[in-house]
């Protein structure tokens, strides 16, 4: 099939393998997760942007997380929920839409090097029309090709290992420094706050680290496709839902504003 012609054709997205009886419960579960993620992240952005005493660099930095979470979740979940209610043979997406979805999926993860990865992928000729994933990403796209994709695999693995190692080392050094300060500090309240904040952050980080690494490596093992799909969904659902709780409610100023807003609303009602 001519590659330029194929890029205007339709692809079949494998999606999640759920029984007809389970499709609506799974849809409702994903809808609740998506709604919670949107409401909590948008609420956090509005709160930080409207409260003048929260206009500090630290709080503006927190806005990056919810913005990233909103983009990453919106790119995947609405389409995935739509596909769940369709027959597996009717889950179609155009090649162009698939490339766009893959692009934004990887912006959500790490944007800077994805341009190169996507460039290596779209240069390939394509001979298949089935996306072996619930959504489009780089690995799903280069699996459409019958050419040798060793370069794509090697670059993807090297880049992933480098990013994961750098991330793990950075977090480890940060926590060592925090632990050192806690040991030398005699302020029990400060130490308790640091341990509480770090433990919740570490939980979310480990979920992202483990699920992200698992998705990348399981793409090389087709027999574990369902496990890979589950991990990819956890990567895009769990951290975006937990981040507003971890980084929002753990910050005293933001927590106080939420409590104040909640009680003001109850009094007015």
């Amino acid at each position: 099939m001519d590659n330029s012609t194929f890029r205007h054709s339709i692809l079949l997205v494998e999606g999640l393998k759920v029984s007809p009886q389970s499709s609506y419960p799974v849809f409702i579960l994903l809808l609740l997760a998506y709604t919670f993620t949107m409401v909590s992240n948008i609420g956090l952005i509005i709160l930080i942007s409207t409260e003048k005493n929260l206009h500090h660099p630290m709080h503006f930095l927190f806005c990056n997380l919810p913005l990233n979470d909103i983009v990453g979740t919106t790119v995947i979940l609405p389409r995935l929920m739509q596909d769940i209610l369709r027959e597996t043979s009717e889950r179609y997406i155009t090649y162009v839409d698939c490339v766009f979805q893959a692009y934004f999926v990887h912006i959500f993860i790490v944007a800077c090097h994805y341009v190169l990865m996507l460039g290596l992928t779209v240069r390939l000729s394509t001979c298949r029309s089935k996306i072996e994933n619930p959504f489009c990403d780089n690995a799903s796209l280069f699996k459409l090709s019958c050419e040798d994709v060793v370069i794509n695999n090697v670059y993807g693995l090297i880049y992933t290992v480098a990013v994961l190692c750098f991330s793990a080392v950075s977090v480890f050094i940060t926590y060592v420094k925090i632990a050192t300060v806690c040991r030398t500090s005699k302020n029990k309240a400060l130490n308790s706050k640091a341990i509480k904040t770090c433990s919740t952050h570490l939980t979310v980080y480990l979920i992202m680290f483990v699920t992200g690494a698992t998705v990348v490596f399981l793409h090389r093992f087709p027999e574990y496709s369902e496990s890979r799909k589950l991990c990819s969904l956890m990567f895009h659902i769990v951290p975006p839902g937990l981040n507003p709780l971890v980084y929002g409610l753990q910050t005293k100023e933001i927590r106080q504003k939420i409590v104040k807003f909640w009680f003001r609303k109850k009094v007015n009602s």
Side-chain angles (χ1 to χ4, degrees), residues 98 101-103 105-106 109 114 118 121 131-133 135-142 215 219 228 232:
C98 194
Q101 188 186 45
Y103 178 74
V105 163
H106 289 275
I109 304 170
Y114 182 64
L118 192 57
T121 297
I131 298 296
E132 298 177 353
N133 212 33
F135 52 86
C136 297
D137 59 4
N138 182 59
S140 300
L141 279 170
F142 70 64
V215 168
H219 258 298
R228 186 195 72 239
S232 64

Side-chain angles (χ1 to χ4, degrees), residues 104-249:
F104 283 105
V105 163
H106 289 275
I107 279 183
F108 174 69
I109 304 170
V110 183
C112 54
H113 288 277
Y114 182 64
V115 174
L116 176 57
M117 283 197 290
L118 192 57
L120 289 172
T121 297
V122 296
R123 70 176 176 80
L124 299 168
S125 62
T126 44
C127 62
R128 301 185 181 95
S129 59
K130 186 176 182 180
I131 298 296
E132 298 177 353
N133 212 33
F135 52 86
C136 297
D137 59 4
N138 182 59
S140 300
L141 279 170
F142 70 64
K143 285 180 180 179
L144 295 175
S145 177
C146 294
E147 292 185 39
D148 186 3
V149 294
V150 171
I151 294 176
N152 301 71
N153 270 310
V154 170
Y155 181 84
L157 284 174
I158 292 175
Y159 172 66
T160 301
V161 170
V163 169
L164 291 178
C165 289
F166 177 78
S167 173
V169 170
S170 300
V171 170
F172 177 76
I173 293 173
T174 301
Y175 276 90
V176 167
K177 290 183 177 180
I178 293 173
T180 303
V181 172
C182 288
R183 286 191 64 183
T184 56
S185 175
K186 296 181 179 180
N187 189 330
K188 293 184 178 180
L190 184 64
N191 291 348
S192 176
K193 182 179 179 181
I195 292 172
K196 184 179 179 181
T197 302
C198 290
S199 61
T200 50
H201 166 263
L202 189 60
T203 300
V204 177
Y205 174 79
L206 287 175
I207 292 173
M208 291 189 67
F209 185 92
V210 173
T211 55
T214 303
V215 168
V216 172
F217 290 111
L218 287 187
H219 258 298
R220 278 75 189 172
F221 303 97
E223 61 270 25
Y224 299 111
S225 62
E226 293 305 310
S227 299
R228 186 195 72 239
K229 292 176 189 177
L230 179 61
C231 288
S232 64
L233 286 179
M234 286 184 63
F235 184 89
H236 287 278
I237 293 175
V238 178
L242 293 180
N243 278 335
L245 301 178
V246 173
Y247 297 102
L249 297 181

Side-chain angles (χ1 to χ4, degrees), residues 22-55:
S22 304
S23 58
Y24 283 102
V26 172
F27 175 87
I28 293 172
L29 182 63
L30 291 177
L31 178 61
L32 290 174
Y34 180 66
T35 303
F36 175 78
T37 298
M38 290 296 105
V39 171
S40 56
N41 282 292
I42 292 173
L44 192 57
I45 293 173
I46 293 174
L47 182 66
I48 293 174
S49 60
T50 55
E51 293 292 338
K52 291 184 178 180
N53 59 339
L54 295 179
H55 291 179

